[in-house]
Amino acid sequence: MRSLRRWRRGDILAATAVVVALGLIAGGFVLSQTPGMPTVEAEVATAPHDLAGNPVQIDGPTPAPSASATPDGVGRISAPSVGLDVPLGAVNVVDDVLEPPGFTSAYWVRNLGVAPADAASGTVFVVMHSLRGGGVGPGNALIDVDRGRARIAVGADITVAGVDYRVDRTEALDKTAIGGDADVWADTPGRLVVITCLQRPDGKPSTENMVVEASRVG
């Protein structure tokens, strides 16, 4: 049960996969116990949760919360065609590491591109977790795991902090290649880039990122 990796500028946004291990005990979902981990009861009390309220098992130690990251306060991101509607927080790349702190929000990246309020003048970058193993993260709404492609279609609407966009294209990129892809990181007026992990049908750790590009409407 593996997966959360830190995202570094060298392989920026390289991974967001996490895994949920579910066991039905006393009418509620809890983490299955892993050798060397706290008891189930202690784990449930401290574990991060997904959009369905299920605890998320993180690969390795739980990352320390970043003082620069917030899970909300920027507005919301919604894509009605795929049922996405979650809070929009904010996160910085700090010491070449980009680490979204939660699994129920999307995150605008403050120090890449521009702020949503300045959408007309540059690219707004948004990152979010998707989950495997039965978990439900914001990014799961955007991906079709069985077909290995985007679930959100070209022409679909996305609203970010009150700014409306329309999807132009979607692309799956290998995690080893996305950091060096100049097209992804171009700072272009009126552009939105949303990135999450493209999970695999076999349930193994993700090897690709799904990139959704959109243009501001109006």
Side-chain angles (χ1 to χ4, degrees), residues 117-158:
D118 300 319
S121 63
T123 298
V124 174
F125 291 94
V126 175
V127 296
M128 62 183 74
H129 286 295
S130 67
L131 295 93
R132 59 188 172 95
V136 185
N140 289 88
L142 301 178
I143 57 175
D144 185 332
V145 176
D146 290 337
R147 292 177 173 84
R149 65 187 188 190
R151 181 167 172 249
I152 193 166
V154 171
D157 296 326
I158 301 179

Side-chain angles (χ1 to χ4, degrees), residues 52-79:
N54 302 317
V56 174
Q57 179 176 312
I58 298 173
D59 180 22
T62 300
S66 170
S68 70
T70 58
D72 53 29
V74 182
R76 298 186 73 81
I77 179 171
S78 63

Side-chain angles (χ1 to χ4, degrees), residues 81-95:
S81 68
V82 293
L84 176 66
D85 186 1
V86 296
L88 183 66
V91 65
N92 283 348
V93 180
V94 178
D95 295 331

